[in-house]
Amino acid sequence: MSINKNDWRCELKFILIGHSSESVISFIKTHPAIFSEIYHGRHVNNIYCDTLNFQTFSDNIMGIADRLKVRIRWYGETFTLIDKPTVEFKIKSGLVGRKEYFKMNPLSIDKETTANYIAQAIKNTKVTSEAKKVLLVTKPVLINNYFRRYFISSCKNFRITFDTNLMFYSFLGKRRIAVPANQNILEIKFDKSNLINSSNITDYFPFRLNKSSKY
């Protein structure tokens, strides 16, 4: 069953190449909106799913406004026994998006875990009938992980996540081979009602906004 439905929100991303993590953190902490760090930084892991003809990947590359991304998410170690994985549906419509989550049974992931094992675990997850239709035509294609830090503005209307050490693992072949990404990602998240004020946040950063996806 669904355990959460987010309201629609905006997400603006910067792909950062050639900027040290220290310099990016300095820009965040000296921002006039007074961002402070919240939570503890943690490792985020995802298994992305797609159709046989890679429709999700194609929609993103083509810039389709209304699109759907399906992934399994968990926190902490990548290759381990996962106590609380979730299936996540990330729904985008233009600049805004929302997420819907479904609890999964525990998973055991190692560097020889197959796509079939993951697919079976997904089939055993209790989801809505609409979500079930989507899951029946998708398969696991990619694992990624990264280290994420979290920040919030003093007005509480804007959040920033900063992702570093991105690693990717394909389900092609018998073993999951790590492929690093030579980039970091900064993302600004806010309710769509604050879109008119978002330039006050983005204009301060000396980075270029990008259309980006970790899948």
Side-chain angles (χ1 to χ4, degrees):
M1 61 184 296
S2 175
I3 58 176
N4 186 39
K5 290 185 178 180
N6 292 57
D7 292 331
W8 293 95
R9 69 179 185 183
C10 296
E11 300 179 345
L12 304 178
K13 293 183 181 180
F14 300 91
I15 299 177
L16 309 179
I17 300 175
H19 296 275
S20 70
S21 298
E22 293 77 12
S23 67
V24 176
I25 294 297
S26 177
F27 276 114
I28 295 173
K29 291 188 173 181
T30 57
H31 195 289
I34 312 176
F35 282 90
S36 57
E37 193 158 8
I38 53 176
Y39 314 125
H40 293 289
R42 57 184 177 177
H43 287 94
V44 182
N45 306 275
N46 305 284
I47 295 176
Y48 286 97
C49 299
D50 207 337
T51 63
L52 292 176
N53 63 349
F54 295 95
Q55 187 65 50
T56 299
F57 181 79
S58 176
D59 286 350
N60 181 64
I61 295 299
M62 296 296 292
I64 303 300
D66 297 323
R67 58 188 188 272
L68 173 67
K69 185 187 298 180
V70 180
R71 65 191 178 197
I72 299 171
R73 171 163 287 191
W74 69 98
Y75 301 96
E77 295 294 324
T78 303
F79 300 107
T80 186
L81 175 63
I82 307 161
D83 291 328
K84 298 179 180 180
T86 58
V87 175
E88 179 178 297
F89 286 70
K90 190 170 184 179
I91 304 157
K92 292 283 289 185
S93 180
L95 291 176
V96 298
R98 68 179 180 87
K99 299 176 184 177
E100 187 169 347
Y101 307 83
F102 300 90
K103 288 183 179 179
M104 295 184 68
N105 294 325
L107 286 174
S108 182
I109 303 293
D110 60 35
K111 291 189 176 181
E112 295 184 353
T113 296
T114 65
N116 287 338
Y117 168 79
I118 301 300
Q120 187 59 50
I122 293 174
K123 289 179 181 179
N124 293 334
T125 302
K126 294 181 179 179
V127 299
T128 62
S129 58
E130 290 186 0
K132 178 68 73 175
K133 292 177 183 178
V134 174
L135 294 176
L136 286 174
V137 295
T138 61
K139 64 174 183 177
V141 295
L142 180 76
I143 300 175
N144 75 6
N145 62 38
Y146 42 88
F147 185 74
R148 170 167 285 185
R149 294 175 68 174
Y150 304 80
F151 303 84
I152 193 168
S153 63
S154 59
C155 66
K156 311 300 183 186
N157 291 331
F158 297 90
R159 294 195 305 117
I160 287 177
T161 57
F162 181 46
D163 300 334
T164 59
N165 301 322
L166 278 75
M167 301 291 291
F168 295 85
Y169 306 81
S170 172
F171 274 102
L172 297 175
K174 293 183 178 180
R175 289 183 60 82
R176 312 285 77 80
I177 306 299
V179 178
N182 185 30
Q183 63 185 35
N184 298 322
I185 296 178
L186 184 149
E187 188 170 357
I188 302 172
K189 306 176 184 184
F190 50 91
D191 186 86
K192 62 180 181 180
S193 63
N194 288 306
L195 180 60
I196 192 172
N197 299 316
S198 62
S199 61
N200 296 331
I201 304 298
T202 59
D203 289 352
Y204 175 80
F205 292 112
F207 317 127
R208 180 179 297 178
L209 281 168
N210 299 88
K211 181 179 71 66
S212 169
S213 173
K214 296 184 184 70
Y215 170 62

